[in-house]
Amino acid sequence: MFAPQTQSNDRIYTVSSLNAQVRLILENEMGVVWLIGELSNLSMPVSGHWYFTLKDSRAQVKCAMFRGNNRRVTFKPANGIQVLVKARLSLYEPRGDYQLIIESMQPEGDGRLQQQFEQLKLSLAAEGLFAQSLKKPLPEQPRRVGIVTSKTGAALHDILNVLKRRDPSLPVVIYPTMVQGDGAAISIAQAIGRANARQECDVLIVGRGGGSLEDLWAFNEEIVARTIVASQIPIVSAVGHEVDVTIADFVADVRAPTPSAAAELISRDMTHQTQQISQRKQQLRHALRHYLTAHQARLINLQHRLDRQHPQVQLNQQQQLLDELASRMERAMRQMLSNHQQHLHRNEYKLALHSPAQTLAQQASRLEQTQRRLHDAMDRRLLNAGHRLSMLAEKLETVSPLATLGRGYSITRNDQGQVIRSTSQVQAGDRLHTRVADGEIRSVVSES
């Protein structure tokens, strides 16, 4: 028998080593891929992992989605539906089956939009367009407010109603624009540019009411994001409901959860302290979003490096750890926001205790009590003065000459007005004037 002849540079593989080598080549060379297909042969065993086939009209591929990834799926998968998946190529070594390891899954329509959203968010974050240093402060007392939204939408009515209730004297300029459909992003960018060119306002509200991801998509366009960053006028993003997040929210100077909240935020009847607290909350949220976005990009890069360097089992363990860290980070964020909310309530309570209205009410009450005491003192003084006047009048009456005349006495004067007290003061022919109680008697002296 003869041993088989081989070249010195040839390598003889075992089946296991060949499969392992092919798996490494697939995982390292192909990296992450996105693809669309129809779900079939879906299996969900008690382990929590999902196994299924993705197919189109001409081909199919086996897939696995481990528990750490599939728990983030927001819809219920079923055979026959079209999905968009993010996956890594791999090989199941025991059977030599080529397969996809699915990292995320979404319905086809929403999935494509979400993919575009994530790609643009990471790209703009890498450019630094979300940086806190680019955020312009809102004016404490805006002179005129600009609104960039649809002139027929409910958002415009909500904003105007809030501004009318809180500060009817605040002028408003409306820059009407499309907010949905083809050309909406260009229309929004043009409206913001028009407001900057006119320089009529010192703050802009840019937004619309709620809707689906597709309805809000104009605010996820790059042209809108770059126009907001370039705006010289501070911009408050007010798109959809509180749970809706768009690219415009990340690049705007302040993000309001709703259009009505944006109007509340810029209203001039808010106290200075409340404005500062609100702005700091917004700054904190922006900083947290920027921090999370930057670290999310870094985590994705690290994950790709990890995918190229580790076997599948270890990758699953790292994925589970990543999920746990994300959960802890979310709890920490909620605790941080809760602490800041409690701090806000304490400051609002202190502000209420030192309210000018309460001080004015106390001063008014004191003034009213002082006036009552003054009136009472004046009444007592007048009463005492009247009583004293009566007593003096009685005393005066007792010494009055008229009272003496009333008892039958009289007073006699000569023509010179001198009182006659003796007969030696008169001579015959003198004219005398005698005063009695009810009048005067004139006489002439006949003898002296």
Side-chain angles (χ1 to χ4, degrees):
M1 296 182 66
F2 295 94
Q5 298 293 322
T6 61
Q7 300 294 330
S8 59
N9 59 347
D10 290 342
R11 175 181 177 183
I12 299 177
Y13 290 91
T14 65
V15 175
S16 298
S17 62
L18 176 64
N19 284 353
Q21 186 68 28
V22 172
R23 180 180 64 81
L24 291 177
I25 293 173
L26 285 175
E27 293 179 352
N28 292 337
E29 295 298 326
M30 292 298 295
V32 176
V33 297
W34 293 83
L35 70 156
I36 296 174
E38 178 184 330
L39 284 177
S40 65
N41 301 322
L42 177 62
S43 173
M44 299 180 177
V46 295
S47 64
H49 307 314
W50 295 351
Y51 304 97
F52 52 89
T53 300
L54 276 181
K55 66 179 183 178
D56 57 20
S57 60
R58 294 185 297 178
Q60 65 182 15
V61 60
K62 292 184 178 180
C63 305
M65 190 172 191
F66 296 107
R67 181 174 52 194
N69 291 323
N70 64 36
R71 64 184 178 185
R72 294 195 298 270
V73 175
T74 58
F75 70 102
K76 184 177 182 179
N79 291 325
I81 67 173
Q82 292 283 330
V83 295
L84 172 70
V85 298
K86 175 184 176 184
R88 291 180 298 99
L89 275 70
S90 185
L91 186 81
Y92 185 58
E93 296 180 28
R95 289 200 302 264
D97 289 340
Y98 148 70
Q99 67 178 0
L100 296 179
I101 305 301
I102 308 299
E103 296 184 355
S104 67
M105 179 193 302
Q106 297 178 7
E108 179 187 356
D110 291 345
R112 289 186 179 184
L113 292 179
Q114 188 64 35
Q115 179 190 13
Q116 296 175 25
F117 174 86
E118 294 296 338
Q119 290 175 345
L120 180 59
K121 184 175 74 171
L122 292 177
S123 174
L124 296 180
E127 290 186 40
L129 298 188
F130 301 165
Q132 191 64 35
S133 59
L134 298 180
K135 308 300 181 185
K136 295 177 285 295
L138 299 184
E140 292 186 5
Q141 292 189 346
R143 299 187 304 274
R144 185 178 288 109
V145 176
I147 304 175
V148 177
T149 189
S150 170
K151 63 181 179 181
T152 59
L156 177 60
H157 297 288
D158 293 342
I159 294 172
L160 293 178
N161 287 337
V162 172
L163 294 179
K164 181 179 179 181
R165 170 173 55 83
R166 293 174 62 85
D167 191 357
S169 64
L170 181 61
V172 175
V173 179
I174 300 172
Y175 301 94
T177 179
M178 297 171 56
V179 294
Q180 183 175 337
D182 295 338
I186 295 177
S187 178
I188 295 169
Q190 289 174 342
I192 296 174
R194 190 161 56 251
N196 276 268
R198 294 180 181 177
Q199 287 296 310
E200 301 167 310
C201 307
D202 46 11
V203 64
L204 285 177
I205 298 176
V206 179
R208 57 155 289 162
S212 65
L213 178 61
E214 184 177 2
D215 294 336
L216 305 179
W217 191 250
F219 295 90
N220 290 321
E221 296 282 1
E222 184 173 359
I223 186 174
V224 173
R226 295 191 181 277
T227 302
I228 291 176
V229 172
S231 173
Q232 298 177 0
I233 304 173
I235 290 180
V236 178
S237 174
V239 182
H241 304 298
E242 187 168 2
V243 296
D244 298 321
V245 179
T246 65
I247 297 296
D249 295 329
F250 291 106
V251 295
D253 299 296
V254 174
R255 185 243 177 181
T258 63
S260 297
E264 294 274 353
L265 182 65
I266 65 173
S267 297
R268 288 189 287 192
D269 64 343
M270 296 178 65
T271 63
H272 179 71
Q273 185 177 9
T274 305
Q275 288 179 342
Q276 285 185 332
I277 293 173
S278 179
Q279 290 180 7
R280 288 174 181 172
K281 285 178 61 179
Q282 294 297 328
Q283 291 170 357
L284 176 61
R285 289 175 178 171
H286 279 295
L288 287 173
R289 290 194 186 100
H290 176 65
Y291 175 83
L292 291 176
T293 300
H295 279 263
Q296 182 182 12
R298 184 170 179 269
L299 285 174
I300 290 175
N301 291 331
L302 292 175
Q303 183 178 352
H304 290 169
R305 291 173 56 189
L306 188 64
D307 292 343
R308 293 191 296 268
Q309 297 173 6
H310 293 275
Q312 183 61 45
V313 174
Q314 296 183 12
L315 177 62
N316 291 339
Q317 294 175 351
Q318 293 298 323
Q319 184 62 54
Q320 292 178 358
L321 178 61
L322 177 62
D323 293 336
E324 181 179 354
L325 291 176
S327 177
R328 289 168 57 187
M329 182 179 295
E330 182 179 358
R331 289 195 299 269
M333 286 176 56
R334 290 178 179 173
Q335 183 63 40
M336 184 182 299
L337 291 176
S338 176
N339 293 339
H340 280 274
Q341 188 68 31
Q342 293 176 3
H343 183 65
L344 173 62
H345 290 331
R346 287 196 296 269
N347 286 340
E348 288 177 345
Y349 176 72
K350 293 179 181 178
L351 183 61
L353 291 179
H354 297 85
S355 171
Q358 183 177 357
T359 303
L360 289 175
Q362 294 175 351
Q363 294 296 333
S365 176
R366 294 175 181 173
L367 178 60
E368 183 179 356
Q369 294 176 1
T370 303
Q371 288 177 338
R372 285 199 299 269
R373 290 197 299 268
L374 179 61
H375 290 162
D376 292 343
M378 290 176 62
D379 291 341
R380 288 193 300 270
R381 186 157 187 175
L382 289 174
L383 182 62
N384 293 336
H387 180 65
R388 184 179 178 188
L389 179 61
S390 297
M391 293 176 62
L392 292 174
E394 291 179 359
K395 291 180 179 180
L396 182 61
E397 181 68 21
T398 58
V399 298
S400 172
L402 296 178
T404 303
L405 295 177
R407 294 195 296 271
Y409 294 91
S410 64
I411 301 174
T412 302
R413 290 183 175 87
N414 57 20
D415 284 340
Q416 287 75 36
Q418 297 175 341
V419 177
I420 305 300
R421 295 181 176 85
S422 172
T423 57
S424 62
Q425 292 180 257
V426 299
Q427 298 177 0
D430 288 345
R431 303 176 66 87
L432 303 177
H433 304 273
T434 303
R435 175 76 178 185
V436 294
D438 57 353
E440 187 178 82
I441 300 172
R442 298 180 180 179
S443 58
V444 176
V445 177
S446 57
E447 291 183 355
S448 174

